[in-house]
Amino acid sequence: MGCYCTKETIEINGRRFYVQKRLGEGGFSVVDLVEDETGKTFAMKRILCHATEDEQMARQEAEFHQNFNHTNLIPLEEWKMLKYSGRVPEVVLVLPYYRGGTLQDEVERLAKQGEHMSEQRLMRIFKGICEGVRALHSASPEPLSHRDMKPGNVMLDDRGTPVIMDFGSMAVAKIEIKGRSQAVALQDTAAEKCSMLFRAPELFHVESHCIIDEKVDIWSLGCVLYTLAFLQSPFEPVYQRGDSLHLAVLGRNFKFPENSRYSEGLHDLVSSMLVVEPMERPSISWVMDRVDNLLQDLENRV
């Protein structure tokens, strides 16, 4: 352990954490690398709470973490609401620090080096992600939806196991929209918290009378699987051209590369999830059955 005399110190439940450096910044929070008194490192997410609503949402994020003890969902080490004199209060979440980075980091590394994942490794990673999503969709007393599934929100631990993080967009899965004001509110929230390239079509334009449910995650998973295979979102070319992403999503305006090295089964699985009508998308259990079948086929070829 180094000298902590000049480090910012944050005490939570009798434990002291020393801020080492800034790891990243987002629209609603920052993440610092911290170290406890034993020298163990963690990632500390610091959520600034400018209003009571911000505080409620941050507390809810911490509570969502506490609902789970799952290999593929990031655990919460500690959390606390911090109030200061003359400064905006913040909720801090102490989380594991994964040196392997995110799946997005892995995608960018592969693209830079002109490499690709083997289909077997890709499907094993995707299965782990689906395991985490299934835990959310099976949550009690009410199923939950992540709503921002993307490679940048999946960490890789030391063994290469995928771990879903960032519960800030998470919500009760099934929401009944009754009227235009509720629709606009959800649409605005989605625009703020759900990444465009992975956002389900029903969140681009929320109908005045509809039901939004966990199928938003299934669409996002389709985008994630495509990205792991082809190292970009299925709608990245449209976005790069500056064309309407919303129209591209509604029209399922994507295609598989002609020189794809992956099986027809993987292509079919992506296509089955990228269905515009939510009711026609499969459940996470159906997706996992298909993943297991694909993995079995791959192992039988070895």
Side-chain angles (χ1 to χ4, degrees):
M1 293 187 297
C3 174
Y4 297 133
C5 51
T6 60
K7 304 288 187 182
E8 180 186 1
T9 304
I10 297 175
E11 187 168 326
I12 306 176
N13 299 328
R15 297 176 65 183
R16 289 184 179 179
F17 296 92
Y18 304 93
V19 177
Q20 305 298 304
K21 65 178 180 178
R22 180 65 38 93
L23 291 174
E25 298 185 23
F28 302 92
S29 62
V30 300
V31 179
D32 288 337
L33 180 68
V34 300
E35 194 173 283
D36 68 6
E37 291 173 298
T38 70
K40 187 174 181 180
T41 54
F42 299 90
M44 177 179 285
K45 183 175 182 179
R46 308 174 70 159
I47 308 167
L48 295 178
C49 302
H50 297 278
T52 302
E53 183 181 4
D54 297 334
E55 181 180 333
Q56 291 172 343
M57 293 178 67
R59 287 179 179 273
Q60 184 180 59
E61 182 174 345
E63 289 166 4
F64 282 148
H65 277 283
Q66 293 173 315
N67 284 344
F68 300 100
N69 180 16
H70 192 282
T71 301
N72 303 108
L73 297 174
I74 192 168
L76 181 66
E77 184 78 12
E78 301 280 1
W79 80 278
K80 187 177 183 179
M81 176 77 193
L82 300 177
K83 296 189 176 182
Y84 310 98
S85 175
R87 280 176 55 190
V88 175
E90 62 182 8
V91 169
V92 295
L93 310 179
V94 180
L95 305 160
Y97 174 58
Y98 299 101
R99 298 181 187 278
T102 68
L103 261 183
Q104 184 61 38
D105 295 330
E106 177 73 355
V107 165
E108 291 173 4
R109 182 188 68 80
L110 290 169
K112 185 177 181 180
Q113 296 177 356
E115 300 176 357
H116 289 80
M117 287 190 200
S118 70
E119 186 163 347
Q120 195 167 41
R121 181 188 177 215
L122 188 160
M123 293 308 301
R124 283 175 178 164
I125 289 174
F126 187 67
K127 178 178 180 178
I129 297 171
C130 289
E131 291 277 12
V133 171
R134 181 166 64 177
L136 297 179
H137 291 187
S138 305
S140 179
E142 293 181 285
L144 299 173
S145 178
H146 187 280
R147 290 212 192 152
D148 196 24
M149 285 305 311
K150 60 181 181 179
N153 279 340
V154 180
M155 306 298 295
L156 292 172
D157 71 9
D158 293 341
R159 297 172 296 176
T161 301
V163 182
I164 298 170
M165 68 168 190
D166 195 351
F167 292 1
S169 57
M170 193 176 292
V172 171
K174 190 172 184 179
I175 299 175
E176 186 174 359
I177 302 298
K178 300 177 180 179
R180 188 60 192 151
S181 62
Q182 287 186 11
V184 170
L186 179 56
Q187 191 171 304
D188 288 346
T189 297
E192 290 180 351
K193 295 191 173 185
C194 308
S195 303
M196 287 181 67
L197 289 170
F198 299 86
R199 191 187 309 162
E202 61 269 30
L203 293 178
F204 275 93
H205 178 73
V206 180
E207 299 291 338
S208 296
H209 296 278
C210 66
I211 292 177
I212 303 292
D213 62 16
E214 66 272 14
K215 295 297 182 70
V216 299
D217 287 343
I218 301 300
W219 175 277
S220 298
L221 285 173
C223 294
V224 168
L225 181 55
Y226 185 104
T227 302
L228 296 183
F230 306 113
L231 309 182
Q232 65 175 1
S233 159
F235 303 101
E236 181 75 32
V238 173
Y239 181 74
Q240 292 294 340
R241 289 196 304 268
D243 294 341
S244 171
L245 191 59
H246 182 199
L247 291 178
V249 166
L250 286 177
R252 296 181 80 244
N253 186 13
F254 77 94
K255 59 184 179 180
F256 298 103
E258 292 182 3
N259 61 346
S260 171
R261 65 189 65 214
Y262 298 105
S263 68
E264 197 64 34
L266 184 147
H267 291 190
D268 290 344
L269 180 55
V270 170
S271 296
S272 72
M273 291 183 280
L274 294 183
V275 174
V276 173
E277 175 53 53
M279 291 291 289
E280 296 176 7
R281 281 178 225 146
S283 67
I284 189 62
S285 295
W286 185 94
V287 171
M288 292 202 64
D289 285 343
R290 294 294 302 147
V291 169
D292 285 338
N293 289 340
L294 283 170
L295 276 171
Q296 186 66 51
D297 288 345
L298 288 168
E299 289 168 4
N300 288 340
R301 291 180 206 167
V302 176

